[in-house]
Amino acid sequence: MSKQPVQLARRYVTCPDSDRKTFYMSHCTKMLYTEKTEGLSKDQKLTALGHKYTQDGSKSLQATGTPLEGKVPRSFVSLPALNPERLKTARALVDKAISLHKVFSVQGPYPVIRTALRARGWVEQRLHRPKRKAHHRLSEEGRARSNDAAGSDEYEDNVIKEQDPDRLYDIMSRLVRNEMVYFYWTVRRDAINPNSLQKEQIINHFAKAGSFTTKSGLCVNLRKLHWFDTADPDTFFPRCYKVAAQDEKHAFIEDYRRTACTSFLKYIVEREQGVQAEGLGHNIRGARKRSKQRSRPVDLPQMISSALKVCQYFLESLEHRDIDRNQEPPLTEEEWEEFIHNYYLVVHGGEKIENSDLFVTCCKAMLQRLVEVCPQLDIDGIHNIWIIKPGAMSRGRGIKCAKRLDQILRLVDGDITLIRESKWVVQKYLERPLLVHGTKFDLRQWFLVTDWNPLTVWFYKKCYMRFSTQPYSLNTMDNSVHLCNNSIQKHLRPSQQRHQSIPADNMWSDDQFRTFLSSQGRGAQWQTVVVPGMKKAVIHALQTTQDLMDSRKNTFELYGADFMLGHDLCPWLIELNASPTMSPSTPVTAHLCTAVQKDTIRVVLDRRADRSANTGDFQLIYKQAAVDVPQYVGVNLLVEGNKIRCPCPLPPLNCSGPKRCSREKEPAVEKVKSLPKMLLKSQFKNISSGIPPPSPLPPDPPVSVTKKGFALHLPMTVRTIQLTTNAQSHSALLWKRKREVPKFSSEKVQTCNLKKDQGLSLSLEIIPKQPRQATTSSFSA
């Protein structure tokens, strides 16, 4: 009897826990060739080997008493029993999956994806997951894999164990460990290099998606929308600046100052009308304290005059009426400092002003003109609040709100790393969003891109709302009030002052929100205003980045878009996220995230085989016409040649000296772009076959001669020139230019040495293009 099983069992007992599974599976097949099991089937051999390992392992533990130092004993009873029938079934499923190219690999806690693929006959090949380093610096793509996307490794292991309690899928995974994977689902796009994949392999990430899934990339790309569509990004995307760049920083400062002027005009009008928006209020005690410290009162007429002057300057610049005027700013730096200081006192601090009703009419008139050209005037509010974001962060990290210019610039200039990488983004905050029972919320909407050429976009019909834990207020800039990310709000306790209709988990489904709109008499606006606005915003954002994406076939990606709604229910795009979270954090997400994953597999796999397959709640909203890419056939578009030389040399001049004339060196050969070789060959064929050349141009008009000289009518050919002169200088310089006489192909210069008071004469012979009698004229100089 061979001692190999006993030796393997002892090695199994002494090996580390993390290696026992690998050791067990790698040595299972060794017993298939022993003498004892000779003649048995493969399944019977594996079963016998498992029992043998169990018996020998137990005896070894009893003999040794205690395990080796550093080793943890484990009973072999915990090993899964290898049922021959189940093993036979597993082999059959694996063979069928390999033949149909149905081997997949999933990275991350995506039990829904695994279940959906296994239900379609796919077998998983588990990816090797390297250990994470403690201080590993992520790239921009890694930091922007967006909202709390993936879960920990421990959670992933627990999910796998729950789905495979008898380790059958683990055995099947090992059987396909050397097979090609045809479907990859990963958390990070840099986990697998798309360039290393074959054409038939499917992956769930496009390369270079950071051009629109990062805040800085979306900010820059949407400015190019006018090249792709007639839409205005200011109608669905709050204006945004990358303030780390100097030109962007100056543009932001100018925008902040102009917004302060418009906000002050709106403050005057709303104060007179008694308008008090939700979330507004003033710190009266602080305002009184600051008013006592002031040296002089606020000059209201001067502030309104300055605000109107700035707005008028802005309107003229939009109409391009500022081209011919001097580029002088409407206010000097000293005047701006005084205006902003008074603006803080009046709007932020509640400083009292008198006789403001006298200026309401002119303020209304200016605001009415601004509404026509500024789509974001209504959402700007009066506090001039801006939100500062790191351009490549996720889950709300590093985001802050501020309303003073010096605070914003101080925040931006505080992080040297972000300044160096130009990653700071400052975006206008929506001060007057739609509130639900006095609480702010945002909206998470999914969409799927299955191709970039032609651009194919699928829009999910379901979404959910995320609420903040505190009632909405502009008196505080705390993130618990203004940021609705679940990764931030889940760590906070809901305020007791918040409305009781909002659940403790801070989430609503779209059905619950539509019920709320119906109670407000606005239920129909969901399908007429909200949904169409979100679709247009998504399509426009993708159009601007289409040229930057790699249009690899057999690639798809699921994205999450964050929107906020204005008072008129118009959606405003906040950001786009790659790898949106699919964790069932609440009952709402547990239902919707499961559904969106199942429907993604329906679109990507089922519809690939059957165009009429069910796509769930995914709706195809945009499919661009295919763009034909011209193929390069190797045609050489270059022709080399020499300039045409003068047909006959100039006559010798009556000059003295050993060398009468000297000519410059011929210019270098020019290289010009030519037609393709096919066209040149056709032209040469026509010449060789006797096809006449194109018809000549109409005859040239005659030369008109006057007393002072004559006028040349081009085109014509000049052969000889007679020139008589009494030159006082010792040399004469004659030249012919291409532009004046185009029949000359090159510029030739002749230098002649003349004696004092010696004349120079040249004859000019002009011959038109068509055959006609030559005419000779002369002129004197």
Side-chain angles (χ1 to χ4, degrees):
M1 178 179 175
S2 175
K3 297 182 180 180
Q4 185 178 9
V6 179
Q7 295 175 355
L8 294 177
R10 290 176 178 175
R11 289 175 58 188
Y12 182 88
V13 173
T14 58
C15 70
D17 292 344
S18 59
D19 298 336
R20 287 185 177 181
K21 187 188 301 182
T22 304
F23 176 83
Y24 176 75
M25 296 304 303
S26 62
H27 292 85
C28 271
T29 56
K30 291 187 177 181
M31 279 291 294
L32 298 177
Y33 305 100
T34 57
E35 297 178 356
K36 182 178 180 179
T37 57
E38 184 176 2
L40 299 179
S41 64
K42 293 182 179 181
D43 298 337
Q44 293 174 347
K45 293 176 182 179
L46 291 175
T47 305
L49 178 62
H51 291 301
K52 186 66 178 178
Y53 277 6
T54 304
Q55 297 174 1
D56 293 340
S58 300
K59 293 179 180 179
S60 176
L61 288 175
Q62 293 176 1
T64 56
T66 57
L68 297 177
E69 185 179 358
K71 309 298 179 181
V72 180
R74 177 177 291 183
S75 174
F76 281 89
V77 180
S78 62
L79 292 175
L82 297 177
N83 189 332
E85 294 298 329
R86 294 182 61 85
L87 184 59
K88 183 178 180 180
T89 303
R91 287 184 179 276
L93 293 175
V94 167
D95 294 340
K96 183 178 180 180
I98 294 175
S99 63
L100 297 177
H101 294 176
K102 289 188 175 182
V103 179
F104 76 95
S105 182
V106 175
Q107 179 191 36
Y110 292 99
V112 178
I113 298 297
R114 287 187 172 93
T115 303
L117 291 174
R118 288 168 180 167
R120 289 165 172 80
W122 290 70
V123 177
E124 180 181 8
Q125 180 189 108
R126 293 180 184 171
L127 286 175
H128 173 67
R129 186 174 63 246
K131 296 182 179 180
R132 296 183 179 179
K133 296 181 180 181
H135 301 285
H136 179 62
R137 184 178 180 181
L138 298 178
S139 62
E140 177 180 346
E141 294 282 338
R143 292 193 302 267
R145 62 186 174 96
S146 287
N147 276 7
D148 38 0
S152 62
D153 295 340
E154 182 180 357
Y155 176 70
E156 179 182 353
D157 294 337
N158 294 334
V159 170
I160 294 175
K161 291 178 181 179
E162 292 177 1
Q163 288 189 335
D164 190 17
D166 56 355
R167 300 293 184 183
L168 178 62
Y169 292 134
D170 182 60
I171 298 175
M172 296 172 64
S173 175
R174 295 179 183 277
L175 293 176
V176 297
R177 64 182 180 273
N178 295 324
E179 301 295 332
M180 177 184 291
V181 176
Y182 291 92
F183 185 94
Y184 284 102
W185 184 290
T186 63
V187 177
R188 299 167 55 90
R189 72 171 40 84
D190 55 357
I192 298 175
N193 184 12
N195 297 327
S196 63
L197 299 179
Q198 298 186 11
K199 183 179 180 180
E200 61 270 18
Q201 292 179 290
I202 306 173
I203 191 171
N204 70 321
H205 287 295
F206 288 100
K208 301 180 182 179
S211 58
F212 70 98
T213 56
T214 58
K215 301 174 182 64
S216 56
L218 185 64
C219 170
V220 174
N221 285 332
L222 280 178
R223 298 176 186 174
K224 303 181 295 184
L225 181 59
H226 63 278
W227 296 108
F228 303 90
D229 206 302
T230 57
D232 184 5
D234 288 342
T235 59
F236 62 87
F237 183 70
R239 55 193 185 276
C240 185
Y241 300 93
K242 292 179 61 177
V243 291
Q246 288 300 321
D247 55 343
E248 295 272 323
K249 185 176 182 180
H250 293 317
F252 161 69
I253 295 174
E254 182 180 354
D255 193 341
Y256 181 91
R257 291 172 172 177
R258 184 175 61 252
T259 305
C261 294
T262 58
S263 300
F264 183 73
L265 297 180
K266 287 195 291 184
Y267 175 81
I268 297 298
V269 174
E270 294 176 2
R271 183 175 182 272
E272 181 63 24
Q273 295 177 349
V275 177
Q276 182 70 19
E278 293 181 275
L280 298 181
H282 299 295
N283 189 350
I284 305 299
R285 181 179 301 178
R288 291 177 179 176
K289 183 178 180 180
R290 285 189 294 270
S291 62
K292 294 180 180 180
Q293 298 176 355
R294 285 187 50 80
S295 59
R296 63 178 184 273
V298 175
D299 189 353
L300 181 60
Q302 180 61 34
M303 288 191 66
I304 293 179
S305 176
S306 299
L308 294 175
K309 185 177 179 181
V310 172
C311 294
Q312 180 64 28
Y313 184 91
F314 174 67
L315 291 173
E316 292 179 356
S317 64
L318 293 179
E319 298 173 357
H320 305 291
R321 290 190 291 169
D322 60 335
I323 297 177
D324 297 330
R325 71 185 181 192
N326 296 329
Q327 296 296 328
E328 296 181 358
L331 301 179
T332 63
E333 290 298 325
E334 293 76 11
E335 292 174 339
W336 271 121
E337 184 178 356
E338 180 67 17
F339 177 85
I340 295 297
H341 179 68
N342 292 333
Y343 166 76
Y344 292 154
L345 291 175
V346 174
V347 179
H348 295 173
E351 183 76 14
K352 291 185 178 181
I353 54 177
E354 299 178 355
N355 301 325
S356 61
D357 55 338
L358 301 177
F359 306 97
V360 173
T361 303
C362 60
C363 294
K364 279 184 178 180
M366 178 57 69
L367 291 174
Q368 187 64 32
R369 295 176 59 189
L370 291 172
V371 167
E372 300 175 357
V373 296
C374 300
Q376 301 182 15
L377 188 64
D378 181 62
I379 65 172
D380 283 347
I382 63 174
H383 286 259
N384 205 2
I385 301 176
W386 294 73
I387 184 167
I388 303 96
K389 309 175 183 179
M393 289 292 185
S394 61
R395 301 192 295 274
R397 293 173 295 177
I399 297 180
K400 295 181 180 180
C401 296
K403 60 176 66 175
R404 295 176 62 96
L405 181 60
D406 54 346
Q407 294 177 353
I408 298 174
L409 298 179
R410 187 163 54 250
L411 287 173
V412 171
D413 297 336
D415 196 322
I416 301 177
T417 303
L418 293 175
I419 293 174
R420 183 174 60 252
E421 298 179 359
S422 299
K423 294 298 185 294
W424 273 119
V425 167
V426 176
Q427 189 173 31
K428 186 63 185 71
Y429 181 77
L430 274 71
E431 298 184 24
R432 295 180 176 177
L434 179 68
L435 303 179
V436 174
H437 301 303
T439 305
K440 182 183 175 182
F441 70 96
D442 67 1
L443 186 149
R444 166 57 63 90
Q445 176 66 56
W446 293 289
F447 65 94
L448 178 68
V449 178
T450 55
D451 202 345
W452 283 97
N453 184 24
L455 180 60
T456 308
V457 186
W458 297 78
F459 188 86
Y460 204 65
K461 299 178 182 178
K462 298 291 185 179
C463 60
Y464 64 93
M465 285 70 187
R466 304 175 298 189
F467 292 91
S468 60
T469 55
Q470 307 297 321
Y472 185 67
S473 174
L474 295 179
N475 292 331
T476 177
M477 295 291 102
D478 192 82
N479 289 347
S480 62
V481 177
H482 302 286
L483 297 185
C484 301
N485 302 64
N486 184 58
S487 56
I488 294 177
Q489 298 294 340
K490 67 181 181 181
H491 301 292
L492 303 176
R493 180 178 298 178
S495 173
Q496 296 181 354
Q497 300 177 355
R498 197 179 65 170
H499 199 276
Q500 298 299 324
S501 300
I502 301 176
D505 55 18
N506 305 318
M507 284 192 185
W508 265 7
S509 65
D510 59 327
D511 295 331
Q512 293 174 294
F513 180 69
R514 283 189 289 178
T515 302
F516 169 77
L517 291 180
S518 299
S519 66
Q520 303 293 322
R522 310 174 70 179
Q525 290 182 317
W526 174 260
Q527 292 295 339
T528 59
V529 179
V530 180
V531 175
M534 290 191 296
K535 292 180 180 179
K536 291 179 181 178
V538 167
I539 292 173
H540 293 329
L542 298 179
Q543 285 176 329
T544 58
T545 192
Q546 184 178 7
D547 295 340
L548 304 176
M549 300 297 295
D550 290 340
S551 57
R552 181 189 181 273
K553 301 300 180 182
N554 289 332
T555 308
F556 69 96
E557 189 157 9
L558 181 67
Y559 301 99
D562 293 341
F563 288 93
M564 288 188 62
L565 303 182
H567 268 296
D568 54 356
L569 286 179
C570 288
W572 292 90
L573 177 63
I574 304 302
E575 63 182 11
L576 300 176
N577 303 285
S579 299
T581 176
M582 290 296 163
S583 59
S585 56
T586 66
V588 174
T589 56
H591 170 69
L592 291 180
C593 292
T594 300
V596 73
Q597 292 178 82
K598 291 181 178 179
D599 294 343
T600 300
I601 298 300
R602 290 190 177 103
V603 173
V604 174
L605 295 181
D606 296 352
R607 193 175 181 274
R608 181 187 302 269
D610 182 10
R611 288 292 180 179
S612 61
N614 179 26
T615 58
D617 286 326
F618 271 113
Q619 176 187 6
L620 181 63
I621 61 171
Y622 187 79
K623 186 170 184 180
Q624 190 181 47
V627 179
D628 294 333
V629 180
Q631 296 183 356
Y632 178 69
V633 295
V635 177
N636 186 9
L637 303 179
L638 179 65
V639 173
E640 297 182 358
N642 298 327
K643 288 185 175 181
I644 302 176
R645 297 184 178 182
C646 182
C648 60
L650 293 174
L653 301 176
N654 188 13
C655 304
S656 62
K659 292 185 179 180
R660 296 183 178 180
C661 301
S662 60
R663 296 184 177 180
E664 289 184 353
K665 188 178 180 181
E666 289 292 332
V669 178
E670 281 191 358
K671 292 185 178 181
V672 297
K673 292 184 179 179
S674 69
L675 296 174
K677 291 181 179 180
M678 298 174 63
L679 297 179
L680 294 177
K681 291 180 180 179
S682 63
Q683 291 180 358
F684 295 148
K685 185 183 296 184
N686 293 339
I687 294 174
S688 61
S689 60
I691 299 176
S695 58
L697 296 173
D700 301 324
V703 180
S704 58
V705 182
T706 61
K707 294 180 179 180
K708 297 182 179 180
F710 57 89
L712 300 179
H713 299 275
L714 301 180
M716 59 182 62
T717 303
V718 178
R719 288 189 176 177
T720 61
I721 299 176
Q722 290 182 353
L723 178 63
T724 303
T725 179
N726 293 324
Q728 298 296 329
S729 60
H730 295 281
S731 63
L733 197 63
L734 303 178
W735 66 90
K736 306 181 183 95
R737 295 184 180 273
K738 289 182 180 180
R739 298 184 182 273
E740 298 175 357
V741 187
K743 287 297 180 181
F744 283 91
S745 59
S746 63
E747 297 180 4
K748 297 181 180 294
V749 180
Q750 293 184 354
T751 305
C752 304
N753 298 325
L754 304 177
K755 294 182 179 180
K756 188 175 182 180
D757 299 331
Q758 184 177 359
L760 176 65
S761 62
L762 292 176
S763 63
L764 175 64
E765 182 180 2
I766 302 173
I767 299 177
K769 264 191 167 182
Q770 289 188 348
R772 64 170 68 177
Q773 187 177 358
T775 60
T776 304
S777 302
S778 63
F779 67 95
S780 61

